[in-house]
Amino acid sequence: MTINLNGKWKNQYNSEMDLAVVDNRVSGTFQTAIGQPSFEEKFEISGKINNNVIAFMVDFGKYGSLACWTGRFELDEMGPVIHTMWHLSQSEGGEEEQMAKAILTGVGTFRKP
């Protein structure tokens, strides 16, 4: 099974990424449809693939946060899909209760539009 990861992908939040894969290295851009940045802002993606698993990171720069996704890609009845779990760490906080709010976790599904 070969899945072409290159090109545009969209998740359930309408965030988009445009991936370029060379060998096992992932690069590209990410545009978020949620949070502080406007959708027009593009953020750099860097990551790796190994067989059918993927990990990539986005640095949201001046917004003081990093997000990392890990997951696997496959073909299902609707076509190519990337199933992920993500962690978003924000620089705000410091107190223990604020730290719990500064690290968010969720799941995401990316599909080619």
Side-chain angles (χ1 to χ4, degrees), residues 4-7 19-28 48-49 54:
N4 182 1
L5 295 176
N6 292 297
L19 297 182
V21 178
V22 177
D23 297 322
N24 68 337
R25 296 190 185 279
V26 177
S27 62
K48 295 269 196 148
I49 60 170
I54 187 169

Side-chain angles (χ1 to χ4, degrees), residues 5 10 12 46 48 55 59 65 76 95:
L5 295 176
K10 185 182 272 194
Q12 73 271 27
S46 61
K48 295 269 196 148
D59 179 353
S65 60
D76 67 10
E95 302 283 328

Side-chain angles (χ1 to χ4, degrees), residues 21-89:
V21 178
V22 177
D23 297 322
N24 68 337
R25 296 190 185 279
V26 177
S27 62
T29 57
F30 187 85
Q31 293 170 264
T32 183
I34 58 175
Q36 286 182 317
S38 73
F39 184 75
E40 288 72 34
E41 287 185 79
K42 291 185 178 183
F43 300 92
E44 180 183 351
I45 291 175
S46 61
K48 295 269 196 148
I49 60 170
N50 184 347
N51 294 317
N52 71 325
V53 294
I54 187 169
F56 58 93
M57 189 263 312
V58 172
D59 179 353
F60 289 103
K62 66 182 179 183
Y63 299 99
S65 60
L66 294 170
C68 299
W69 288 259
T70 59
R72 54 182 288 154
F73 50 92
E74 60 190 15
L75 285 173
D76 67 10
E77 62 280 351
M78 295 173 58
V81 60
I82 305 173
H83 296 286
T84 65
M85 175 170 269
W86 54 265
H87 297 285
L88 173 73
S89 297

